[in-house]
Amino acid sequence: MNPLLTAGLGRLRSVLPARADLAAMGRHPRRDLLAGLTVAIVALPLALGFGISSGLGAEAGLATAVVAGVLAALFGGSALQVSGPTGAMTVVLVPIMHAHGASGVLTVGVLAGLLLMGLALARAGRYMALVPAPVVEGFTLGIACVIGLQQVPAALGVPTPEGDKVLAVAWQAVLAFAAHPDWMALTMAVAVAAVMLGGARLRPGVPFSLLAVVAATVVAELAALPVTRIDALPSGLPAPSLSFLDVSALGSLLAPAVAVAALAALESLLSAAVADGMSVNHRHDPDRELFGQGLANLVAPLFGGVPATGAIARTAVNVRSGASSRLAALAHAAILGVIVFTAADLVARIPLAALAGVLLATAVRMVEVGSVAAMLRSTRSDALVLALTAIATLALDLVAAVILGLIVAGALALRAIARDVRLDAMPLHPDLPGDHDAEEHALLAEHIVAYRLDGPLFFAAAHRFLLELSEVADVSVVVLRMSRVTTVDASGALVLGDAISRLERRGITVYVSGIRDGHHRPLRALGVISRLDEAGQVFATTPEAIAAARHRLHRDGVLPAARSDS
């Protein structure tokens, strides 16, 4: 068989479910089923709310929770992960819905699914762990603000204004409310949010989100309150279809699909890592997780579902409820499926203001105030990255915010590393080869200077190194000790060569010592030490270099000949 085909099949097998995954579902079925029921109770109002917020309706949120929930649970890389529609994904989908309509959102989901599966087969999952913590915190804070702002129209009981900029839409909703106040909707949204936030503090294990929504719906029905409801829901999932797919629009939807895939990968792997941290022995497989999320996003749009990700809040509830295998996440999706088929008429009577209250409380609970405050206090760099990422999330979009955060964090990290590079003048000690009296030591110190380079010699530090080394004056020989240089790149090597040339043009002889084995290649490839090597000015140790320097100075008459005691 072709080696490439064999390797491809092996990689595909590595991201598919194993027999051990199925066996694990039979170990604690009762505990997993109870955990799945608990998660389903929490997930129902969130699925409805995020479906409505995306613009495709409550039915799209339910379809996503059922279809994507099943596929991600079976094929994902985490046994504890719960997937479905999320607030972060909704934030990305709103402008896509505004620009391309429902068919565009569904097409983006399919494309994003294919991209995620490609990332899984390319084994890109491990690289998601490199996202710095301040970027994640700023990203989460920004998402929470956007989710809260998205709920303003429903909470105020006004029609959602046109537009995809959440700040502008929220402001237009406030103006509409000021013109015609609807205190009933606002009171209901605030009451539901207050019950959720207050109840979570008193009894964290009780699903106050569902209880509050049920209470608000009962009150609205009994009192015949004039509040907007979800409206009619289909009593079941639609038949799978690709009728939404417009091949001519694929080019314009590729960029949004990349954004959705990047967000799905980031949020799903972050959620899986949270589940690992909350459990004792569980560890997720990042490439399998990407494959499972990709398959879920590929199939969910066929049933009218929006793109999905791993959901941090629902996953945390799953772990806290005692889940030990994929059976819990499967049970959660199955229970939501039963609700779709049996209780669609009841669900349709839920007031939109009540769901807005659920999502407002969810946005508040997303922000770990203590964690954000601690990161803002830690270093100025961390505070800057967090603030910029949060502001960019609010003002731009999520993927642009993460990219901006990564660029700024990377630049600040390089700046910090570059500051660690030191060029220190080293004393010439009496234990060097040969015997020297005080006068000879004085002459030696006057004409020979040894400098030790510490840290990475790379592009971010090269310019400062050049300036410092070029300021050396009033000496005949410079010895560069390179045993503590941790890395050398092309920029650093070229700058080193430039500094040596500048010193030589001023009549200063340069000796180099202690070059590590791995650093010879860039230095030789760029011609930095080839000439010095040929001239016998490169040494394995510093004492050898200083002995050669002393010999040269004696030969040239700069230092007097060594005296004998005989």
Side-chain angles (χ1 to χ4, degrees), residues 412-423:
L412 292 173
L414 288 176
R415 178 168 169 263
I417 293 171
R419 284 181 168 180
D420 286 339
V421 180
R422 297 196 308 275
L423 182 69

Side-chain angles (χ1 to χ4, degrees), residues 494-518:
L494 289 173
V495 167
L496 177 64
D498 191 14
I500 291 172
S501 298
R502 292 190 186 196
L503 292 172
E504 290 179 333
R505 285 197 296 270
R506 290 162 49 198
I508 298 174
T509 304
V510 179
Y511 290 83
V512 179
S513 71
I515 300 175
R516 295 186 179 184
D517 290 340

Side-chain angles (χ1 to χ4, degrees), residues 94-486:
V94 168
I96 299 175
M97 178 70 182
H98 185 76
H100 302 283
S103 62
V105 173
L106 299 177
T107 304
V108 162
V110 171
L111 294 176
L114 293 172
L115 289 172
L116 285 168
M117 294 170 75
L119 287 174
L121 295 176
R123 296 180 178 170
R126 56 191 166 184
Y127 298 111
M128 293 296 171
L130 301 179
V131 179
V135 175
V136 175
E137 286 289 350
F139 175 75
T140 305
L141 177 59
I143 288 172
C145 293
V146 173
I147 293 172
L149 289 169
Q150 284 179 339
Q151 309 316 310
V152 170
L156 297 179
V158 300
T160 303
E162 287 293 322
D164 60 347
K165 298 299 181 184
V166 66
L167 281 169
V169 169
W171 177 244
Q172 291 297 323
V174 170
L175 294 179
F177 176 81
H180 303 284
D182 180 0
W183 297 105
M184 193 67 66
L186 180 58
T187 301
M188 182 175 291
V190 171
V192 169
V195 168
M196 280 185 63
L197 294 174
R201 286 180 173 273
L202 298 174
R203 296 291 180 92
V206 178
F208 282 100
S209 57
L210 184 63
L211 295 178
V213 168
V214 169
T217 305
V218 169
V219 169
E221 287 295 303
L222 293 178
L225 299 179
V227 291
T228 308
R229 317 298 174 98
I230 287 179
D231 235 340
L233 284 175
S235 57
L237 293 175
S241 170
L242 274 172
S243 59
F244 60 84
L245 191 62
D246 181 4
V247 178
S248 63
L250 293 181
S252 62
L253 293 173
L254 186 57
V258 171
V260 168
L263 176 60
L266 178 64
E267 190 173 13
S268 297
L269 293 178
L270 177 62
S271 177
V274 169
D276 289 351
M278 295 178 65
S279 61
V280 179
N281 296 317
H282 181 266
R283 289 294 176 270
H284 74 282
D285 182 328
D287 294 324
R288 278 191 60 188
E289 183 60 31
L290 290 182
F291 186 84
Q293 295 295 336
L295 187 60
N297 279 288
L298 178 65
V299 176
L302 307 185
F303 295 88
V306 297
T309 75
I312 296 177
R314 276 156 276 177
T315 298
V317 170
N318 193 40
V319 178
R320 284 198 298 263
S321 301
S324 62
S325 75
R326 301 167 189 271
L327 181 59
L330 286 170
H332 132 271
I335 292 167
L336 291 177
V338 170
I339 292 172
V340 171
F341 281 99
T342 61
D345 292 339
L346 294 176
V347 172
R349 304 306 301 164
I350 296 175
L352 293 182
L355 292 179
V358 170
L359 298 187
L360 284 171
T362 301
V364 172
R365 293 173 63 180
M366 283 178 66
V367 181
E368 295 287 345
V369 178
S371 178
V372 171
M375 204 159 290
L376 290 174
R377 290 194 305 265
S378 62
T379 67
R380 283 185 293 180
S381 295
D382 288 342
L384 177 62
V385 171
L386 190 154
L388 280 178
T389 306
I391 293 170
T393 301
L394 193 58
L396 303 174
D397 63 70
L398 301 194
V399 177
V402 171
I403 292 173
L404 177 63
L406 289 174
I407 291 173
V408 174
L412 292 173
L414 288 176
R415 178 168 169 263
I417 293 171
R419 284 181 168 180
D420 286 339
V421 180
R422 297 196 308 275
L423 182 69
D424 298 327
M426 305 304 296
L428 300 176
H429 299 293
D431 57 357
L432 296 174
D435 297 322
H436 316 285
D437 58 19
E439 180 182 356
E440 193 170 11
H441 279 303
L443 287 170
L444 191 65
E446 181 179 348
H447 294 283
I448 302 176
V449 175
Y451 282 92
R452 187 179 70 199
L453 279 68
D454 284 359
L457 184 59
F458 72 135
F459 70 94
H463 181 66
R464 185 165 62 88
F465 162 76
L466 175 62
L467 292 177
E468 290 185 22
L469 192 56
S470 299
E471 292 174 357
V472 175
D474 300 326
V475 296
S476 299
V477 175
V478 169
V479 178
L480 295 179
R481 301 174 59 181
M482 298 187 62
S483 60
R484 296 196 182 184
V485 173
T486 56

Side-chain angles (χ1 to χ4, degrees), residues 541-566:
T541 66
T542 301
E544 290 177 305
I546 293 177
R550 291 190 63 253
H551 177 75
R552 181 187 183 97
L553 294 180
H554 282 300
R555 186 194 65 193
D556 294 344
V558 178
L559 289 179
R563 293 182 298 186
S564 172
D565 292 333
S566 58

